[in-house]
Amino acid sequence: MAEKKIWITGASRGIGAEVARQLARAGWTVAVSARSDDELAELVGEANALNGEIHAYPLDITDAEACVRVFADIEGAHGPLDTVLLNAGTHEPIDGTAFSVEPVRKLVEINLMGTVHCLAPVIERFVARTSGKIAVVSSVAGYRGLPTSSGYGATKAGLINMCEALRPELEMAGVTICCVTPGFVRTPLTDKNPFPMPFLMEVEDAAARIVRGLERDAFEITFPRRFTYMLKVLRMLPYALYFALTRRIVPKDGETS
Ligand SMILES: NC(=O)c1ccc[n+]([C@@H]2O[C@H](COP(=O)([O-])OP(=O)(O)OC[C@H]3O[C@@H](n4cnc5c(N)ncnc54)[C@H](OP(=O)(O)O)[C@@H]3O)[C@@H](O)[C@H]2O)c1
């Protein structure tokens, strides 16, 4: 895996930052993006101790033109990238009985359209040179509808479907796209969850699974396996049974946040 180049979005903290550290340690040249300049600068500062290279490219992925510009700047400075990890995302639980436009719009604009803003210029370049790997971070919340996840789950289901649709077309063009579907990982995103998280994984372990997954050509990088396979079985349940189960996890008053 030595001397490869990657762009990671959502790398100021959490999963993205840890993948950046691990790849820098393994000899990759790593370009990192997020909105928080300070946190990116701290990560760049860690690179020396890791004996690696990390370069910061601040970016808000809701700005489509900025995504095109930043990707071009990275390739201009470091040469053609081997891999792109589109990981930036956010989560906000939604009380389904108080469903409204704005929280859903925010999730769609960041998780779905923000990823699309990065995908478009990357696919254009990678297809033109018939090489490159793209990994998109979705979630097991995209497998099937879950209470409080009507916004987040919809964006993550959209990403899984988009990657499935793109996989064979890009394959014919020499480009690999894969989809990362984590279960619960301990990060600032999940630290605010008020409920017990089954099979909660440490971020170092989750990042290591992604790094190993990037070495393979499989479509899916999913972990922790026991949890994600259990959720896959739920996908096969008929609706009557499925709703009997999900009804039990509807939060009581005041439990959503
Ligand atoms: N943790 C989990 O259990 C879990 C499970 C399944 C899937 N995931 C997915 O994994 C990814 C990373 O999650 P995490 O747990 O590491 O979350 P996190 O700790 O909250 O990190 C999210 C990252 O995304 C960046 N980001 C958010 N909005 C952005 C925007 N508009 N433009 C650019 N960057 C933006 C954040 O940086 P700034 O705020 O500085 O911009 C941050 O670097 C997300 O897509 C999440 O949905 C996480």
Side-chain angles (χ1 to χ4, degrees):
M1 302 227 342
E3 293 178 24
K4 287 193 166 182
K5 295 169 195 157
I6 187 168
W7 177 32
I8 305 174
T9 66
S12 59
R13 56 179 178 273
I15 296 171
E18 185 54 30
V19 173
R21 288 186 193 97
Q22 293 188 15
L23 287 179
R25 204 177 284 127
W28 287 54
T29 298
V30 184
V32 289
S33 290
R35 292 164 302 183
S36 318
D37 307 29
D38 292 356
E39 291 179 56
L40 289 179
E42 268 177 44
L43 188 61
V44 169
E46 288 178 40
N48 272 346
L50 301 170
N51 268 335
E53 265 189 60
I54 302 181
H55 305 274
Y57 289 86
L59 170 68
D60 183 338
I61 59 166
T62 62
D63 180 341
E65 283 174 18
C67 293
V68 172
R69 194 174 56 245
V70 162
F71 175 57
D73 286 352
I74 294 169
E75 290 218 317
H78 308 289
L81 297 176
D82 302 279
T83 307
V84 167
L85 177 65
L86 301 180
N87 160 78
T90 191
H91 178 261
E92 208 53 62
I94 290 177
D95 173 350
T97 62
F99 191 84
S100 62
V101 172
E102 285 315 315
V104 179
R105 190 197 303 282
K106 183 181 166 203
L107 287 163
V108 169
E109 282 180 357
I110 296 178
N111 294 358
L112 190 59
M113 287 314 298
T115 303
V116 169
H117 293 158
C118 300
L119 262 181
V122 170
I123 288 177
E124 188 188 348
R125 291 277 186 99
F126 281 11
V127 166
R129 56 176 182 255
T130 60
S131 72
K133 172 168 244 180
I134 304 164
V136 172
V137 179
S138 174
S139 165
V140 293
Y143 284 174
R144 227 175 159 177
L146 290 165
T148 75
S149 210
S150 52
Y152 181 74
T155 64
K156 294 300 187 178
L159 290 177
I160 295 173
N161 192 297
M162 193 179 289
C163 292
E164 286 174 352
L166 286 168
R167 171 89 173 186
E169 290 177 85
L170 293 185
E171 208 167 50
M172 310 283 279
V175 176
T176 307
I177 189 162
C178 64
C179 190
V180 185
T181 48
F184 291 110
V185 181
R186 195 192 307 277
T187 68
L189 189 87
T190 49
D191 284 346
K192 55 189 180 189
N193 284 347
F195 53 84
M197 291 174 273
F199 300 94
L200 179 66
M201 203 174 206
E202 296 305 322
V203 72
E204 294 79 7
D205 200 5
R209 306 285 175 112
I210 294 176
V211 168
R212 281 205 296 278
L214 292 176
E215 290 173 329
R216 296 184 290 113
D217 274 337
F219 174 71
E220 186 182 50
I221 303 173
T222 189
F223 51 83
R225 289 274 174 100
R226 255 195 305 165
F227 182 54
T228 63
Y229 284 12
M230 274 163 50
L231 292 172
K232 281 188 181 188
V233 172
L234 290 185
R235 274 202 300 202
M236 290 184 277
L237 289 183
Y239 278 121
L241 264 176
Y242 184 68
F243 292 135
L245 284 175
T246 57
R247 228 174 261 132
R248 294 173 182 217
I249 54 171
V250 172
K252 312 279 175 295
D253 278 353
E255 277 181 4
T256 311
S257 52

